[in-house]
Amino acid sequence: MKILIVVATYQEIAPLFKKLGIPEKGLSFTYQAHEIDILVTGVGMVATAYALGKAIESQNYDIAINAGIAGSFSKRLAIGEVVQVKKDILAELGAEDDEEFLSLEEMHLGEVEFLEQLHDVFQTDLKKVTAITVNKVHGNEDSIEDVKERLFPQTESMEGAAFFYACEEAGVAGMQVRAISNYVEKRNKANWNIPLAVKNLNEWLSTYLKVLK
């Protein structure tokens, strides 16, 4: 199987090599007969869409996996928990109409909601969530409440919907998995646990690759 693992930063995927028991020699390797490429896109939707579009165009991947960390709007998700995103929404793409927000879809100008397009053979038993993708992560109590009332998200990232969009356009099966690094609240880095999220993300990913047929 040919697999593409898509990450915003190398730090989010660095532990994978040790967990798979392979030397850290490059971003392409073979594991259990799978050909695996790791694509480090950079942070944000623009970087992700460009890098992923180029990669998918030049190779025939069986599946692309967007792996990374995320903030959670829900305390029902534990810090460090790994979840699978089933729907991702471009939360900021639209227009202000005084106190109201009009999405691109409401203005009949395009899509903002993207669903996972994944064959049954790739499915997992992870908790399934709805996410939003943003250019500016939330850290203001008023804006947090506004987006929760408008879109009912459980998690947020800066790349997910762009990943789904590129996979959909290219006809490639795309999975998005995220480990919760923090709760979406007034910015307080003392409450974050990025090392735990990265550790759990790579533990899950290494296990998944070991059992993937």
Side-chain angles (χ1 to χ4, degrees):
M1 192 175 296
K2 195 162 180 61
I3 302 167
L4 179 66
I5 300 174
V6 182
V7 293
T9 66
Y10 182 76
Q11 289 77 11
E12 289 168 285
I13 203 70
L16 182 64
F17 297 93
K18 184 176 181 180
K19 292 185 180 298
L20 293 179
I22 60 175
E24 191 173 348
K25 291 183 178 179
L27 298 181
S28 296
F29 56 91
T30 300
Y31 180 74
Q32 294 190 168
H34 300 311
E35 295 179 44
I36 300 175
D37 292 336
I38 296 176
L39 176 66
V40 181
T41 63
V43 175
M45 289 176 268
V46 174
T48 297
Y50 176 75
L52 183 54
K54 286 182 63 180
I56 290 178
E57 185 179 43
S58 62
Q59 300 285 341
N60 293 317
Y61 290 104
D62 295 292
I63 182 173
I65 303 172
N66 184 204
I69 60 176
S72 174
F73 291 91
S74 172
K75 293 293 179 68
R76 294 181 180 180
L77 300 178
I79 298 294
E81 184 171 358
V82 182
V83 297
Q84 182 176 350
V85 177
K86 300 295 288 185
K87 179 169 78 170
D88 210 318
I89 305 167
L90 293 168
E92 302 157 333
L93 194 55
E96 288 184 332
D97 183 10
D98 194 18
E99 297 295 324
E100 301 297 320
F101 178 83
L102 300 175
S103 74
L104 210 65
E105 287 187 358
E106 290 172 314
M107 295 187 292
H108 308 289
L109 293 176
E111 295 180 84
V112 296
E113 296 188 7
F114 301 94
L115 301 176
E116 174 188 83
Q117 304 290 327
L118 200 62
H119 310 311
D120 289 342
V121 68
F122 296 122
Q123 287 295 348
T124 79
D125 59 0
L126 291 173
K127 188 177 294 182
K128 309 303 189 288
V129 302
T130 294
I132 58 173
T133 299
V134 295
N135 283 308
K136 178 177 66 177
V137 295
H138 287 83
N140 173 274
E141 293 174 352
D142 290 337
S143 67
I144 291 168
E145 289 307 310
D146 285 345
V147 79
K148 286 168 67 174
E149 290 177 7
R150 182 164 62 89
L151 297 174
F152 309 103
Q154 291 158 285
T155 64
E156 74 173 4
S157 79
M158 302 181 78
E159 299 86 20
F163 168 82
F164 276 164
Y165 172 80
C167 288
E168 182 180 301
E169 289 295 302
V172 174
M175 172 195 294
Q176 183 185 167
V177 290
R178 297 276 171 181
I180 304 304
S181 59
N182 62 281
Y183 291 118
V184 181
E185 58 189 1
K186 187 175 180 179
R187 190 173 177 86
N188 181 3
K189 294 183 71 173
N191 290 339
W192 298 6
N193 198 335
I194 292 176
L196 177 63
V198 170
K199 172 180 175 290
N200 290 353
L201 175 69
N202 283 274
E203 284 182 353
W204 179 88
L205 190 54
S206 64
T207 300
Y208 182 74
L209 294 174
K210 288 173 183 176
V211 301
L212 192 61
K213 303 298 183 182

Coordinates of all heavy atoms in Angstrom, one line a residue, residues 17-100:
F17 N 9.4 7.3 14.0 CA 10.5 6.4 13.6 C 10.9 5.5 14.7 O 11.0 4.3 14.5 CB 11.7 7.2 13.1 CG 11.3 8.1 11.9 CD1 10.9 9.4 12.0 CD2 11.4 7.6 10.6 CE1 10.6 10.2 10.9 CE2 11.2 8.4 9.5 CZ 10.7 9.7 9.7
K18 N 11.1 6.0 15.9 CA 11.5 5.2 17.0 C 10.4 4.1 17.3 O 10.7 3.0 17.6 CB 11.8 6.0 18.2 CG 12.3 5.3 19.4 CD 12.7 6.2 20.5 CE 13.2 5.4 21.7 NZ 13.6 6.3 22.9
K19 N 9.1 4.6 17.3 CA 8.1 3.7 17.6 C 7.9 2.5 16.6 O 7.4 1.4 16.9 CB 6.8 4.4 17.8 CG 6.8 5.3 19.0 CD 5.4 6.0 19.2 CE 5.5 6.9 20.4 NZ 5.8 6.1 21.7
L20 N 8.3 2.8 15.3 CA 8.2 1.8 14.3 C 9.5 0.9 14.3 O 9.6 -0.1 13.6 CB 8.0 2.4 12.9 CG 6.6 3.1 12.7 CD1 6.6 3.6 11.3 CD2 5.5 2.1 12.9
G21 N 10.5 1.4 15.0 CA 11.8 0.7 15.1 C 12.6 0.8 13.8 O 13.3 -0.2 13.4
I22 N 12.5 1.9 13.1 CA 13.2 2.1 11.9 C 14.1 3.4 12.1 O 13.8 4.3 12.8 CB 12.3 2.3 10.7 CG1 11.4 3.5 10.9 CG2 11.5 1.1 10.5 CD1 10.5 3.8 9.7
P23 N 15.3 3.4 11.3 CA 16.2 4.6 11.4 C 15.5 5.8 10.8 O 14.8 5.8 9.9 CB 17.4 4.2 10.7 CG 16.9 3.1 9.7 CD 15.8 2.4 10.4
E24 N 15.9 7.0 11.4 CA 15.3 8.3 11.0 C 16.2 8.8 9.9 O 17.1 9.6 10.1 CB 15.2 9.2 12.2 CG 14.5 10.5 11.9 CD 14.3 11.3 13.1 OE1 14.6 10.8 14.2 OE2 13.9 12.5 13.0
K25 N 16.0 8.3 8.7 CA 16.9 8.6 7.6 C 16.3 9.6 6.5 O 17.0 10.2 5.7 CB 17.4 7.4 6.8 CG 18.3 6.5 7.7 CD 18.8 5.3 6.9 CE 19.7 4.4 7.7 NZ 20.2 3.2 6.9
G26 N 15.0 9.7 6.5 CA 14.4 10.6 5.5 C 12.9 10.5 5.7 O 12.3 9.9 6.6
L27 N 12.2 11.2 4.8 CA 10.7 11.3 4.8 C 10.0 10.3 3.9 O 8.8 10.4 3.8 CB 10.3 12.7 4.5 CG 10.8 13.8 5.5 CD1 10.3 15.2 5.0 CD2 10.4 13.5 6.9
S28 N 10.8 9.3 3.4 CA 10.2 8.2 2.6 C 10.8 6.9 3.1 O 12.1 6.9 3.2 CB 10.4 8.4 1.1 OG 9.7 9.6 0.6
F29 N 10.0 5.9 3.4 CA 10.6 4.7 3.8 C 9.6 3.6 3.6 O 8.4 3.8 3.2 CB 10.9 4.7 5.3 CG 9.8 5.1 6.2 CD1 8.9 4.2 6.8 CD2 9.5 6.5 6.5 CE1 7.9 4.5 7.6 CE2 8.5 6.8 7.3 CZ 7.7 5.9 7.9
T30 N 10.0 2.3 3.7 CA 9.2 1.1 3.5 C 9.0 0.5 4.9 O 9.9 0.3 5.7 CB 9.8 0.1 2.6 OG1 9.9 0.7 1.3 CG2 8.9 -1.1 2.4
Y31 N 7.7 0.2 5.2 CA 7.4 -0.5 6.5 C 6.4 -1.5 6.3 O 5.3 -1.2 5.8 CB 6.9 0.6 7.5 CG 6.6 0.0 8.9 CD1 7.6 -0.4 9.7 CD2 5.3 -0.2 9.2 CE1 7.3 -1.0 10.9 CE2 5.0 -0.8 10.5 CZ 6.0 -1.2 11.3 OH 5.7 -1.8 12.5
Q32 N 6.7 -2.8 6.6 CA 5.8 -3.9 6.4 C 5.2 -3.9 5.0 O 3.9 -4.1 4.8 CB 4.7 -3.9 7.5 CG 5.2 -4.1 8.9 CD 4.1 -4.4 9.9 OE1 4.3 -4.8 11.0 NE2 2.8 -4.1 9.5
A33 N 6.0 -3.7 4.0 CA 5.7 -3.7 2.6 C 4.9 -2.5 2.2 O 4.6 -2.3 1.0 CB 4.9 -5.0 2.2
H34 N 4.6 -1.6 3.1 CA 3.9 -0.3 2.8 C 5.0 0.7 2.3 O 6.0 0.8 3.0 CB 3.1 0.3 3.9 CG 2.0 -0.6 4.4 ND1 1.1 -1.2 3.6 CD2 1.7 -1.0 5.7 CE1 0.3 -1.9 4.3 NE2 0.6 -1.8 5.6
E35 N 4.7 1.4 1.3 CA 5.6 2.6 0.9 C 5.0 3.8 1.6 O 3.8 4.2 1.3 CB 5.6 2.7 -0.6 CG 6.2 1.6 -1.4 CD 6.2 1.8 -2.9 OE1 6.5 3.0 -3.3 OE2 5.8 0.9 -3.6
I36 N 5.7 4.4 2.5 CA 5.2 5.6 3.2 C 6.0 6.8 3.0 O 7.3 6.8 3.1 CB 5.3 5.2 4.8 CG1 4.4 4.0 5.0 CG2 4.8 6.4 5.6 CD1 4.5 3.5 6.5
D37 N 5.3 7.9 2.6 CA 5.9 9.2 2.5 C 5.4 10.1 3.6 O 4.2 10.1 3.9 CB 5.6 9.8 1.1 CG 6.2 9.1 0.0 OD1 7.3 8.4 0.2 OD2 5.7 9.2 -1.2
I38 N 6.2 10.9 4.2 CA 5.8 11.9 5.1 C 5.9 13.3 4.5 O 7.0 13.7 4.0 CB 6.6 11.8 6.4 CG1 6.4 10.5 7.1 CG2 6.3 13.0 7.4 CD1 7.2 10.3 8.4
L39 N 4.8 14.0 4.5 CA 4.8 15.4 3.9 C 4.7 16.4 5.0 O 3.7 16.4 5.7 CB 3.7 15.5 2.9 CG 3.4 16.9 2.3 CD1 4.6 17.3 1.4 CD2 2.1 16.9 1.5
V40 N 5.7 17.2 5.2 CA 5.6 18.3 6.2 C 5.2 19.6 5.4 O 6.0 20.1 4.6 CB 7.0 18.5 6.9 CG1 6.9 19.6 7.9 CG2 7.4 17.2 7.5
T41 N 4.0 20.1 5.6 CA 3.5 21.1 4.8 C 3.8 22.5 5.3 O 3.8 23.5 4.5 CB 1.9 21.0 4.7 OG1 1.4 21.2 6.1 CG2 1.5 19.7 4.2
G42 N 4.0 22.7 6.6 CA 4.0 24.0 7.2 C 2.6 24.3 7.8 O 1.7 23.6 7.5
V43 N 2.5 25.3 8.6 CA 1.3 25.5 9.3 C 0.3 26.3 8.5 O 0.7 27.3 7.8 CB 1.6 26.3 10.6 CG1 0.3 26.7 11.4 CG2 2.5 25.5 11.6
G44 N -1.0 25.9 8.6 CA -2.0 26.7 7.9 C -2.6 26.1 6.7 O -2.0 25.2 6.1
M45 N -3.7 26.7 6.3 CA -4.5 26.2 5.1 C -3.8 26.4 3.8 O -3.7 25.5 3.0 CB -5.9 26.8 5.1 CG -6.8 26.4 6.2 SD -8.4 27.3 6.1 CE -8.0 28.7 7.2
V46 N -3.2 27.5 3.6 CA -2.5 27.8 2.3 C -1.4 26.9 2.1 O -1.2 26.3 1.0 CB -2.1 29.3 2.3 CG1 -1.3 29.6 1.1 CG2 -3.3 30.2 2.4
A47 N -0.5 26.7 3.1 CA 0.7 25.9 3.0 C 0.2 24.4 2.8 O 0.8 23.7 1.9 CB 1.6 26.0 4.2
T48 N -0.8 24.0 3.5 CA -1.3 22.6 3.4 C -1.8 22.3 2.0 O -1.5 21.3 1.4 CB -2.3 22.3 4.4 OG1 -1.7 22.5 5.7 CG2 -2.9 20.9 4.3
A49 N -2.7 23.2 1.5 CA -3.3 23.0 0.2 C -2.3 22.9 -0.9 O -2.4 22.1 -1.8 CB -4.4 24.1 -0.1
Y50 N -1.3 23.8 -0.9 CA -0.3 23.9 -1.9 C 0.6 22.6 -1.9 O 0.8 21.9 -2.9 CB 0.6 25.1 -1.8 CG 1.7 25.2 -2.8 CD1 1.5 25.5 -4.1 CD2 3.0 24.9 -2.4 CE1 2.5 25.5 -5.0 CE2 4.1 24.9 -3.3 CZ 3.8 25.2 -4.6 OH 4.8 25.3 -5.5
A51 N 1.1 22.3 -0.7 CA 2.0 21.2 -0.6 C 1.3 19.8 -0.9 O 1.9 19.0 -1.6 CB 2.6 21.1 0.8
L52 N 0.1 19.7 -0.4 CA -0.6 18.4 -0.6 C -1.1 18.3 -2.0 O -1.0 17.2 -2.6 CB -1.8 18.4 0.3 CG -2.7 17.1 0.3 CD1 -1.8 15.9 0.5 CD2 -3.8 17.2 1.3
G53 N -1.5 19.4 -2.7 CA -1.9 19.3 -4.1 C -0.7 18.9 -5.0 O -0.9 18.0 -5.9
K54 N 0.5 19.4 -4.7 CA 1.7 19.0 -5.5 C 2.0 17.5 -5.2 O 2.3 16.7 -6.2 CB 2.9 19.8 -5.1 CG 2.9 21.2 -5.6 CD 4.1 21.9 -5.2 CE 5.4 21.3 -5.8 NZ 6.6 22.0 -5.4
A55 N 1.9 17.0 -4.0 CA 2.3 15.7 -3.6 C 1.3 14.7 -4.3 O 1.7 13.6 -4.8 CB 2.3 15.5 -2.1
I56 N 0.0 14.9 -4.2 CA -1.0 14.0 -4.7 C -1.0 14.0 -6.2 O -1.2 12.9 -6.8 CB -2.4 14.4 -4.1 CG1 -2.5 14.2 -2.7 CG2 -3.5 13.7 -4.9 CD1 -3.8 14.6 -2.0
E57 N -0.7 15.1 -6.8 CA -0.6 15.1 -8.3 C 0.5 14.2 -8.8 O 0.4 13.6 -9.9 CB -0.4 16.5 -8.7 CG -0.5 16.7 -10.3 CD -0.3 18.2 -10.7 OE1 0.6 18.9 -10.1 OE2 -1.0 18.6 -11.6
S58 N 1.6 14.1 -8.1 CA 2.7 13.4 -8.6 C 2.8 11.9 -8.2 O 3.6 11.1 -8.7 CB 4.0 14.0 -8.1 OG 4.1 14.0 -6.7
Q59 N 1.9 11.5 -7.3 CA 1.9 10.1 -6.8 C 0.5 9.5 -6.7 O -0.4 10.3 -6.6 CB 2.6 10.0 -5.4 CG 4.0 10.5 -5.4 CD 5.0 9.5 -6.0 OE1 4.7 8.3 -6.1 NE2 6.2 10.0 -6.3
N60 N 0.4 8.2 -6.8 CA -0.9 7.5 -6.6 C -1.0 6.9 -5.2 O -0.5 5.8 -5.0 CB -1.1 6.5 -7.7 CG -1.2 7.0 -9.1 OD1 -1.9 8.1 -9.3 ND2 -0.5 6.4 -10.1
Y61 N -1.5 7.6 -4.3 CA -1.6 7.1 -2.9 C -2.9 6.4 -2.7 O -4.0 6.8 -3.2 CB -1.5 8.3 -1.9 CG -0.1 8.9 -1.9 CD1 0.1 10.1 -2.5 CD2 0.9 8.3 -1.2 CE1 1.4 10.7 -2.5 CE2 2.2 8.9 -1.2 CZ 2.4 10.1 -1.8 OH 3.7 10.6 -1.8
D62 N -2.8 5.3 -1.9 CA -4.0 4.6 -1.5 C -4.8 5.3 -0.4 O -6.0 5.3 -0.3 CB -3.6 3.2 -1.0 CG -3.0 2.3 -2.1 OD1 -3.8 2.0 -3.0 OD2 -1.8 2.0 -2.0
I63 N -4.0 6.0 0.4 CA -4.6 6.8 1.5 C -3.7 7.9 1.9 O -2.4 7.7 1.9 CB -5.0 5.9 2.7 CG1 -5.7 6.8 3.8 CG2 -3.7 5.2 3.3 CD1 -6.2 6.0 5.0
A64 N -4.2 9.1 2.3 CA -3.5 10.2 2.9 C -4.0 10.3 4.3 O -5.2 10.3 4.6 CB -3.7 11.5 2.1
I65 N -3.1 10.5 5.3 CA -3.5 10.6 6.7 C -3.0 11.9 7.2 O -1.7 12.2 7.2 CB -2.9 9.5 7.5 CG1 -3.3 8.1 7.0 CG2 -3.3 9.6 9.0 CD1 -2.7 6.9 7.7
N66 N -3.9 12.8 7.6 CA -3.5 14.1 8.2 C -3.4 13.9 9.7 O -4.4 13.6 10.4 CB -4.5 15.1 7.9 CG -4.2 16.5 8.4 OD1 -5.0 17.4 8.6 ND2 -2.9 16.8 8.6
A67 N -2.2 13.9 10.2 CA -2.0 13.7 11.7 C -1.4 15.0 12.3 O -0.6 15.6 11.8 CB -0.9 12.6 11.8
G68 N -2.0 15.3 13.5 CA -1.5 16.5 14.2 C -2.2 16.6 15.5 O -2.9 15.8 16.0
I69 N -2.0 17.8 16.1 CA -2.6 18.2 17.4 C -3.7 19.1 17.1 O -3.9 19.7 16.0 CB -1.6 18.7 18.4 CG1 -0.9 20.0 17.8 CG2 -0.5 17.7 18.7 CD1 0.0 20.7 18.8
A70 N -4.6 19.3 18.1 CA -5.8 20.1 18.0 C -6.2 20.6 19.3 O -5.9 20.0 20.4 CB -6.9 19.4 17.3
G71 N -6.9 21.7 19.3 CA -7.6 22.2 20.5 C -9.0 21.7 20.6 O -9.6 21.4 19.5
S72 N -9.5 21.5 21.8 CA -10.9 20.9 21.9 C -11.8 22.0 22.6 O -11.5 22.6 23.6 CB -10.9 19.7 22.8 OG -12.2 19.2 23.1
F73 N -13.0 22.1 22.0 CA -14.0 22.9 22.6 C -14.8 22.2 23.7 O -15.6 22.8 24.5 CB -15.1 23.4 21.5 CG -14.5 24.4 20.6 CD1 -13.9 23.9 19.4 CD2 -14.6 25.7 20.8 CE1 -13.4 24.8 18.5 CE2 -14.1 26.6 19.9 CZ -13.5 26.2 18.7
S74 N -14.6 20.9 23.7 CA -15.4 20.0 24.6 C -14.5 19.4 25.7 O -13.5 18.8 25.4 CB -16.1 18.9 23.8 OG -16.7 17.9 24.7
K75 N -14.9 19.5 27.0 CA -14.2 18.9 28.1 C -14.5 17.4 28.1 O -13.9 16.7 28.9 CB -14.7 19.5 29.4 CG -14.2 21.0 29.5 CD -12.7 21.1 29.6 CE -12.2 22.6 29.8 NZ -12.6 23.2 31.0
R76 N -15.4 16.9 27.3 CA -15.6 15.5 27.2 C -14.5 14.8 26.4 O -14.4 13.5 26.5 CB -16.9 15.2 26.4 CG -18.2 15.6 27.2 CD -19.4 15.3 26.4 NE -20.6 15.8 27.2 CZ -21.9 15.6 26.8 NH1 -22.1 15.0 25.6 NH2 -22.9 16.1 27.5
L77 N -13.6 15.5 25.8 CA -12.4 15.0 25.2 C -11.3 15.3 26.1 O -11.1 16.4 26.6 CB -12.1 15.6 23.8 CG -13.2 15.4 22.8 CD1 -12.8 16.2 21.5 CD2 -13.5 14.0 22.5
A78 N -10.5 14.3 26.5 CA -9.4 14.4 27.4 C -8.1 15.0 26.7 O -7.9 14.7 25.5 CB -9.1 13.1 28.1
I79 N -7.4 15.7 27.5 CA -6.1 16.2 26.9 C -5.2 14.9 26.6 O -5.1 14.0 27.4 CB -5.3 17.1 28.0 CG1 -6.1 18.3 28.3 CG2 -3.9 17.4 27.5 CD1 -6.3 19.3 27.1
G80 N -4.7 14.9 25.4 CA -3.9 13.7 25.0 C -4.8 12.7 24.2 O -4.2 11.8 23.6
E81 N -6.1 12.8 24.2 CA -6.9 11.8 23.5 C -6.8 12.0 22.0 O -6.7 13.1 21.5 CB -8.4 12.0 23.9 CG -9.3 11.0 23.3 CD -10.7 11.1 23.9 OE1 -11.0 11.9 24.8 OE2 -11.6 10.3 23.5
V82 N -6.8 10.9 21.3 CA -6.7 10.9 19.9 C -8.1 10.7 19.3 O -8.8 9.7 19.7 CB -5.7 9.8 19.3 CG1 -5.6 9.9 17.8 CG2 -4.3 10.0 20.0
V83 N -8.5 11.5 18.3 CA -9.8 11.5 17.8 C -9.7 11.5 16.2 O -8.7 11.8 15.7 CB -10.7 12.7 18.2 CG1 -10.9 12.6 19.7 CG2 -10.1 14.0 17.8
Q84 N -10.8 11.1 15.6 CA -10.9 11.0 14.1 C -11.9 12.1 13.7 O -13.0 12.0 14.1 CB -11.3 9.6 13.7 CG -11.3 9.5 12.1 CD -11.6 8.0 11.7 OE1 -11.6 7.1 12.6 NE2 -11.9 7.8 10.5
V85 N -11.5 13.0 12.8 CA -12.4 14.0 12.3 C -13.2 13.5 11.2 O -12.6 13.1 10.1 CB -11.6 15.3 11.9 CG1 -12.5 16.3 11.3 CG2 -10.8 15.8 13.1
K86 N -14.5 13.6 11.3 CA -15.4 13.1 10.2 C -15.9 14.3 9.4 O -16.2 14.1 8.2 CB -16.6 12.4 10.8 CG -16.3 11.2 11.7 CD -15.7 10.1 10.8 CE -16.7 9.4 9.9 NZ -16.1 8.3 9.2
K87 N -16.0 15.4 10.0 CA -16.4 16.6 9.2 C -15.6 17.8 9.7 O -15.3 18.0 10.8 CB -17.9 17.0 9.4 CG -18.4 18.2 8.7 CD -19.9 18.4 8.7 CE -20.4 18.9 10.0 NZ -21.8 19.2 10.0
D88 N -15.2 18.6 8.7 CA -14.3 19.8 9.0 C -14.9 21.0 8.2 O -15.3 20.9 7.1 CB -12.9 19.5 8.6 CG -11.9 20.3 9.5 OD1 -12.2 21.5 9.8 OD2 -10.9 19.7 9.9
I89 N -14.9 22.1 8.9 CA -15.6 23.3 8.4 C -14.6 24.5 8.3 O -13.9 24.8 9.3 CB -16.8 23.7 9.3 CG1 -17.7 22.5 9.4 CG2 -17.5 24.9 8.7 CD1 -18.7 22.7 10.6
L90 N -14.6 25.2 7.2 CA -13.8 26.4 7.1 C -14.6 27.5 7.8 O -15.5 28.1 7.3 CB -13.6 26.8 5.6 CG -12.7 25.9 4.8 CD1 -12.8 26.2 3.3 CD2 -11.2 26.0 5.3
A91 N -14.2 27.8 9.1 CA -15.1 28.6 10.0 C -15.1 30.1 9.6 O -16.1 30.8 9.9 CB -14.6 28.4 11.4
E92 N -14.1 30.6 9.0 CA -14.0 32.0 8.7 C -14.2 32.5 7.3 O -14.1 33.7 7.0 CB -12.6 32.5 9.2 CG -12.2 32.1 10.6 CD -10.7 32.1 10.9 OE1 -10.0 31.8 9.9 OE2 -10.3 32.3 12.0
L93 N -14.5 31.5 6.4 CA -14.6 31.9 5.0 C -16.0 32.4 4.7 O -17.0 31.6 4.7 CB -14.3 30.7 4.1 CG -14.1 30.9 2.7 CD1 -13.0 31.9 2.5 CD2 -13.7 29.6 1.9
G94 N -16.2 33.7 4.6 CA -17.5 34.3 4.4 C -17.4 35.8 4.5 O -16.4 36.4 4.2
A95 N -18.5 36.4 5.0 CA -18.6 37.8 5.1 C -19.4 38.2 6.4 O -20.3 37.5 6.8 CB -19.3 38.4 3.9
E96 N -19.0 39.4 6.9 CA -19.8 39.9 8.0 C -21.0 40.7 7.5 O -20.8 41.5 6.5 CB -18.9 40.8 8.9 CG -17.9 40.1 9.7 CD -17.1 41.0 10.6 OE1 -16.9 42.2 10.2 OE2 -16.6 40.6 11.6
D97 N -22.1 40.5 8.1 CA -23.3 41.3 7.8 C -23.8 42.0 9.1 O -24.6 41.4 9.7 CB -24.4 40.4 7.2 CG -25.6 41.2 6.8 OD1 -25.6 42.4 6.7 OD2 -26.7 40.5 6.5
D98 N -23.1 43.1 9.4 CA -23.3 43.7 10.7 C -22.9 42.7 11.8 O -21.8 42.3 11.9 CB -24.7 44.3 10.8 CG -24.8 45.3 12.0 OD1 -23.7 45.8 12.4 OD2 -25.9 45.5 12.4
E99 N -23.9 42.3 12.6 CA -23.6 41.4 13.7 C -23.7 39.9 13.3 O -23.3 39.1 14.1 CB -24.6 41.7 14.8 CG -24.6 43.0 15.5 CD -23.3 43.3 16.2 OE1 -22.7 42.4 16.8 OE2 -22.8 44.4 16.1
E100 N -24.1 39.7 12.1 CA -24.2 38.3 11.6 C -23.0 37.9 10.7 O -22.4 38.7 10.2 CB -25.5 38.1 10.8 CG -26.8 38.5 11.6 CD -27.0 37.6 12.8 OE1 -26.8 36.4 12.7 OE2 -27.4 38.1 13.8

